Amino acid sequence: DSLFSFTVLWSKMTQWFYRCSAFPFCRLCIQHKYLKLQQTCFRSKDFHLMRYAVYWEQAPTEVRRCTWFYKGDKDTKFMPYPEDFSKNLEDAYMIAVTLDEWKRKLDFPTGETVILHNPKLIMQYQPIGLQDEWVSSPSEQTRPRTVKRGVDNVFVEIPDGESEKVDHLVFMVHGIGPACDLRFRSIIQCVNDFRSASLSLLASHYKRAQQDGQVGRVEFLPVNWHSALHGDATGVDEDIQRITLPSISRLRHFTNDTLLDLFFYNSPTYCQTIVDTVASEINRLHALFQRRHPEFNEAVSVVGHSLGSLILFDLLTNQRNGSQVREGVPSGELCNVNCDTLEQTLNRLGLQQYLGTLQAENLDIESLALCQDSDLKDLGIPLGPRKKILNYVRRKWLPEALGLQVPPQVASDNDGNQSSGATPQQSQFHRTQSVTSAVDYEYFDVGIGQVSIDYPQLAFQPQTFFAFGSPIGMFLTVRGLKRIDPNYTFPTCKRFYNIYHPYDPVAYRIEPMIVSDVDVEPMLIPHHKGRKRMHLELKDSLTRMSMDLKNNVLGSLRTAWQSFARLPVAALPPVEEGESSIERNLQETQVCEEAESSVSAEQTEQPEIKMGMLNEGRRIDYVLQEKPIESFNEYLFAIQSHLCYWESEDTALLLLKEIYDKLGVAFEQPQQ
């Protein structure tokens, strides 16, 4: 598994052993050899199998072989015993099987008792002192646990593992706060769920391609920036805590830990910290992934949820490709900076006393650019020098290392006005005239991001940018952007999808800012089972019924008018009054044409509208289908709607379609 580093040596042997459990005699032989190998390799009683996270910070977790399982009276599934407990059970079980002696009683030092009644009935009894303190009934305290050996008839799926072939890499950036859903789970746990959903959808919707070896898997990696902002490096939490009122402490703590992230991002000081953290973390993960998968040569995409989507939008807007230039940095100066050695760089900063510390870790300029603040802190470098080193290296060295062209000096006209190479890009974002602000937005080379922010560069060019529940449209409007030019596209990213739930209170649309003269409904994301939800189908059926009823009424009205207009022959007027007959025919024709045009106008579909180049001319806004229970009260499910994307199979399938359509892999809808 590419996400964890395992020390498991015998898991495959264990699975193979239990698949032979249908043959008792063979099972005894295999078990004897297995125990001998186990005793030879794992002599220490304190030995534990552990796994360690590779791409994020997480405490090591224990890996159990799961030889023996138990389930209480109120448990829904079997749980594994610890390995030392399982070993004692296995030894007693082997003796009972060999000698055919049952009704054996096994006492443990903790006071627990296991009785082996027969091969199919094994019970564990807990002492009263170890019972759950919440259990009040004496009868509940004496209820035993069911003990089971092996995985036969245990309703647990043992996966064979993920495919080693990675078809696409996706970085996922979270929004405000440390928690990403209503269960207060971290970005790591939510991305794990999203990854599991994508694997399940690949198995069901790309089954044939998987069998043919065309499809491997898509790797999703979390990008965490909240801990860096609220860590010891900034000290912002201590500053906020000093001015926080003592009343309603829990609510104020929630506000300080989550909602204040919005204000931090609008502050130039902390906005710089946020964008630097996001970019450096993405670059670090990308470099680490490339080292662990040297054969990987596929595309990379980015996903942002809530505020994370705005951070990525500003970063992508301010990326520079080979044809773009940057203001204010002479080419000679930048080249000299990038050619400096580690010693020259530290001398330039006046921090030569830390040269030995960095050289002891074999750090050079390239590896120093990938370091985080916590890495230098672990080396014992104080906060001030850490910030100087990281800020200097990332801003001066990284753009050149990414292969970007070095910009010429800013040109000036005869009037002394500066001209920027980014002006054509900025002119594609039309700002409203401000009568209250004296800030000249066109002066800054920041695209449509915030002023006075030096946006770092990513080490790759993303293929697609997916925004979940994004407030990008609102923030752009607040910054004074009236509309986006249809010809605008990200400098290094050619595709953009704005995905949202219809009841999400934070989400805003993008398409009306590009095509403002036409009211276009967003694209409805199909259900992953290939149909609309029941209540939406019922709603469409009622709409069609009302249209049919309207058409029938108009048709009846037309027939009645024709019958009324045709008088009997005996009542026809004289020939000299033929002019009136012509007028009646004209009126009849006019009524018929109005009825037909009314019907045809309802039946005519809207022509396809191109939404500019932000998504290569394709649609940008995509809306999820709400669940039936959510349609009863949209206010009740508003917060849940903003946090639903991590577990949404419809959202995951949309990402997979976009990724594999680009690779030319056919999508297949499973039969229901």
Side-chain angles (χ1 to χ4, degrees):
D1 195 306
S2 61
L3 301 178
F4 294 94
S5 176
F6 286 95
T7 57
V8 181
L9 302 177
W10 297 102
S11 59
K12 292 296 182 181
M13 180 178 290
T14 306
Q15 294 180 15
W16 174 65
F17 165 74
Y18 286 118
R19 287 170 185 167
C20 301
S21 59
F23 307 94
F25 202 52
C26 178
R27 184 174 67 239
L28 288 176
C29 299
I30 297 174
Q31 177 66 20
H32 177 72
K33 294 181 179 180
Y34 174 75
L35 287 176
K36 289 295 183 182
L37 287 172
Q38 186 183 38
Q39 293 171 1
T40 302
C41 298
F42 305 113
R43 297 183 182 277
S44 174
K45 295 182 179 179
D46 298 330
F47 181 83
H48 293 285
L49 302 178
M50 306 295 293
R51 69 172 185 174
Y52 300 85
V54 174
Y55 295 101
W56 54 79
E57 294 183 2
Q58 181 179 337
T61 53
E62 182 185 356
V63 179
R64 295 183 179 179
R65 293 190 183 87
C66 305
T67 310
W68 288 81
F69 301 83
Y70 69 88
K71 185 174 75 170
D73 201 25
K74 297 182 179 179
D75 295 335
T76 58
K77 60 182 180 180
F78 281 92
M79 300 297 295
Y81 280 111
E83 291 188 28
D84 54 349
F85 198 99
S86 297
K87 184 179 182 305
N88 293 331
L89 286 176
E90 184 67 23
D91 292 342
Y93 178 82
M94 293 300 297
I95 294 175
V97 171
T98 305
L99 303 179
D100 196 19
E101 295 180 357
W102 298 98
K103 304 292 184 180
R104 299 178 63 89
K105 182 178 180 182
L106 185 61
D107 294 323
F108 288 86
T110 56
E112 297 169 311
T113 302
V114 176
I115 300 179
L116 288 73
H117 297 280
N118 56 59
K120 296 184 178 180
L121 180 60
I122 305 175
M123 308 298 292
Q124 176 192 353
Y125 299 87
Q126 292 181 276
I128 297 179
L130 295 181
Q131 292 288 340
D132 193 341
E133 60 182 359
W134 295 100
V135 178
S136 57
S137 172
S139 60
E140 293 182 0
Q141 293 181 349
T142 58
R143 290 177 181 173
R145 288 175 172 177
T146 301
V147 181
K148 183 170 180 55
R149 179 178 183 271
V151 295
D152 294 336
N153 300 323
V154 174
F155 298 99
V156 58
E157 182 180 358
I158 302 179
D160 293 331
E162 298 176 345
S163 172
E164 295 183 1
K165 178 186 176 184
V166 179
D167 302 321
H168 201 88
L169 177 61
V170 181
F171 296 107
M172 310 190 81
V173 182
H174 66 86
I176 61 173
C180 295
D181 61 2
L182 290 179
R183 288 180 281 176
F184 296 97
R185 298 186 303 167
S186 66
I187 178 65
I188 298 172
Q189 295 170 303
C190 291
V191 172
N192 286 343
D193 275 359
F194 198 88
R195 187 186 304 108
S196 300
S198 70
L199 292 174
S200 176
L201 291 170
L202 283 176
S204 59
H205 291 71
Y206 292 89
K207 184 176 181 180
R208 185 175 304 173
Q210 272 192 337
Q211 294 174 349
D212 296 340
Q214 293 180 289
V215 170
R217 63 184 172 91
V218 178
E219 185 61 275
F220 298 90
L221 296 181
V223 179
N224 187 358
W225 56 266
H226 182 270
S227 57
L229 176 64
H230 294 266
D232 297 334
T234 61
V236 63
D237 285 354
E238 296 181 2
D239 297 337
I240 293 295
Q241 188 61 36
R242 284 198 298 267
I243 61 176
T244 302
L245 301 181
S247 59
I248 53 175
S249 58
R250 292 186 179 180
L251 181 58
R252 295 186 189 278
H253 175 73
F254 173 79
T255 302
N256 293 344
D257 208 29
T258 55
L259 299 182
L260 284 186
D261 288 347
L262 290 172
F263 299 98
F264 288 146
Y265 189 69
N266 287 322
S267 164
T269 301
Y270 296 108
C271 178
Q272 188 69 63
T273 301
I274 293 174
V275 296
D276 285 345
T277 302
V278 171
S280 63
E281 181 67 5
I282 290 178
N283 288 336
R284 182 189 71 85
L285 292 173
H286 183 262
L288 178 59
F289 186 85
Q290 290 281 17
R291 288 201 300 269
R292 296 180 62 87
H293 300 80
E295 74 286 352
F296 179 78
N297 194 27
E298 304 297 336
V300 183
S301 296
V302 290
V303 172
H305 174 244
S306 188
L307 182 61
S309 64
L310 179 64
I311 298 171
L312 288 176
F313 187 89
D314 289 343
L315 277 174
L316 294 178
T317 303
N318 292 276
Q319 296 297 294
R320 296 183 295 274
N321 55 30
S323 61
Q324 291 177 315
V325 298
R326 182 186 177 192
E327 288 188 64
V329 182
S331 58
E333 177 184 347
L334 187 58
C335 183
N336 291 335
V337 170
N338 297 339
C339 294
D340 284 348
T341 63
L342 178 62
E343 182 178 1
Q344 292 172 334
T345 300
L346 294 178
N347 289 335
R348 187 186 298 269
L349 297 174
L351 301 174
Q352 56 271 17
Q353 64 269 29
Y354 300 107
L355 177 61
T357 303
L358 297 177
Q359 287 181 341
E361 300 294 331
N362 294 327
L363 288 175
D364 55 10
I365 293 294
E366 181 179 358
S367 57
L368 192 60
L370 300 176
C371 288
Q372 292 182 303
D373 184 85
S374 58
D375 299 327
L376 299 185
K377 183 179 179 181
D378 293 339
L379 298 179
I381 301 178
L383 175 61
R386 293 201 308 266
K387 290 297 182 181
K388 281 186 178 181
I389 294 173
L390 293 177
N391 183 65
Y392 183 85
V393 173
R394 288 173 181 171
R395 295 190 185 186
K396 303 301 183 182
W397 187 89
L398 189 57
E400 180 75 11
L402 299 181
L404 301 176
Q405 290 187 0
V406 180
Q409 196 167 1
V410 180
S412 301
D413 56 21
N414 295 331
D415 297 332
N417 296 325
Q418 292 180 332
S419 61
S420 169
T423 301
Q425 175 185 342
Q426 293 177 352
S427 64
Q428 293 176 325
F429 295 90
H430 303 270
R431 297 183 184 272
T432 57
Q433 288 289 350
S434 174
V435 297
T436 60
S437 175
V439 178
D440 183 6
Y441 288 92
E442 300 299 332
Y443 174 79
F444 293 95
D445 181 16
V446 292
I448 58 172
Q450 300 191 56
V451 298
S452 71
I453 300 300
D454 186 5
Y455 286 93
Q457 302 298 299
L458 297 178
F460 57 90
Q461 294 190 359
Q463 174 180 288
T464 311
F465 169 35
F466 300 94
F468 295 169
S470 174
I472 292 175
M474 182 269 291
F475 272 85
L476 296 184
T477 304
V478 170
R479 292 174 183 175
L481 294 169
K482 188 175 182 180
R483 69 183 183 90
I484 300 176
D485 192 282
N487 295 322
Y488 175 76
T489 181
F490 293 122
T492 59
C493 182
K494 302 305 179 185
R495 296 189 176 191
F496 174 45
Y497 287 87
N498 182 37
I499 302 170
Y500 62 91
H501 191 282
Y503 302 152
D504 189 340
V506 181
Y508 290 82
R509 293 192 62 184
I510 297 294
E511 291 177 347
M513 299 187 68
I514 302 175
V515 182
S516 57
D517 53 346
V518 180
D519 186 14
V520 182
E521 293 293 327
M523 292 291 291
L524 187 66
I525 298 178
H527 194 272
H528 65 279
K529 293 185 178 179
R531 56 172 176 77
K532 281 188 177 181
R533 295 187 184 271
M534 185 181 301
H535 67 289
L536 294 179
E537 292 180 349
L538 179 60
K539 182 179 179 181
D540 292 344
S541 299
L542 293 176
T543 303
R544 287 193 296 268
M545 289 175 59
S546 63
M547 289 299 303
D548 293 341
L549 180 61
K550 180 180 179 180
N551 295 339
N552 292 336
V553 171
L554 291 176
S556 301
L557 179 62
R558 180 177 57 185
T559 303
W561 177 260
Q562 291 174 348
S563 301
F564 177 76
R566 293 193 185 93
L567 297 178
V569 177
L572 287 177
V575 177
E576 57 267 21
E577 296 181 3
E579 185 177 352
S580 299
S581 176
I582 295 175
E583 292 179 357
R584 286 197 301 270
N585 292 334
L586 290 176
Q587 292 177 358
E588 176 184 345
T589 304
Q590 182 179 0
V591 172
C592 295
E593 289 178 353
E594 289 178 355
E596 292 175 357
S597 63
S598 176
V599 174
S600 61
E602 298 290 344
Q603 296 176 348
T604 302
E605 296 182 356
Q606 292 182 344
E608 182 180 357
I609 300 176
K610 288 192 174 182
M611 288 297 169
M613 298 307 298
L614 199 55
N615 193 23
E616 297 184 331
R618 298 181 298 175
R619 297 295 302 273
I620 299 174
D621 293 337
Y622 284 77
V623 60
L624 292 167
Q625 302 180 38
E626 71 273 14
K627 297 178 181 178
I629 191 174
E630 294 174 344
S631 61
F632 287 105
N633 192 326
E634 55 190 42
Y635 294 96
L636 186 62
F637 295 94
I639 297 179
Q640 170 63 26
S641 299
H642 183 60
L643 306 173
C644 70
Y645 307 98
W646 305 111
E647 298 178 344
S648 172
E649 293 176 305
D650 299 346
T651 303
L653 185 58
L654 178 63
L655 265 67
L656 294 178
K657 283 182 179 179
E658 163 64 20
I659 291 171
Y660 284 104
D661 283 351
K662 191 74 174 177
L663 296 175
V665 180
F667 166 82
E668 53 182 294
Q669 185 65 47
Q671 298 293 331
Q672 301 297 328

